[in-house]
Amino acid sequence: MSVDRVGEARTDGVAETATTAVAETATTAAAAVRYYSVAPGVRLNVRSGPGTGYPVVRVLAEGARVPIYCQTPGTTVTGPYGTSSVWDSIGDGAYVSDAYVHTGSDGYVAPRCG
């Protein structure tokens, strides 16, 4: 991405970064989030944390696609896409096992949650 010009606003003689730079950063971060398909024929449990010991907060319908905002280690689960201890954060307090999400990788495809 290129930026032709980032404007500056002066307040009491001190330069401040224009809000356009912040908006571009937020837009870039949002654009980096990719959506992935849940395994066919699966109604996937969404849990409040990265493991099977956390409560189910909702269930995704068959054919769902999910955003992966970040990933974190948790309970090891075996699913259609292998055995994995990676859990995908699909929203605030919403995690699914990566073993049920078709990411095309056995490892991390998003930043670590932190």
Side-chain angles (χ1 to χ4, degrees):
M1 167 186 10
S2 68
V3 176
D4 291 333
R5 181 171 177 248
V6 174
E8 291 183 351
R10 297 243 177 221
T11 305
D12 296 331
V14 177
E16 296 177 3
T17 302
T19 57
T20 55
V22 174
E24 282 190 26
T25 302
T27 301
T28 301
V33 175
R34 291 192 50 202
Y35 282 74
Y36 299 89
S37 297
V38 171
V42 172
R43 294 182 67 234
L44 186 58
N45 289 336
V46 179
R47 297 182 178 273
S48 64
T52 56
Y54 289 90
V56 174
V57 295
R58 70 177 194 255
V59 179
L60 298 176
E62 291 183 29
R65 290 178 54 83
V66 295
I68 299 179
Y69 295 105
C70 62
Q71 295 177 297
T72 190
T75 306
T76 300
V77 173
T78 298
Y81 299 118
T83 300
S84 179
S85 62
V86 175
W87 285 73
D88 306 329
S89 173
I90 64 167
D92 191 30
Y95 294 84
V96 295
S97 170
D98 196 63
Y100 286 87
V101 179
H102 187 260
T103 61
S105 173
D106 288 337
Y108 289 84
V109 298
R112 292 266 183 124
C113 301

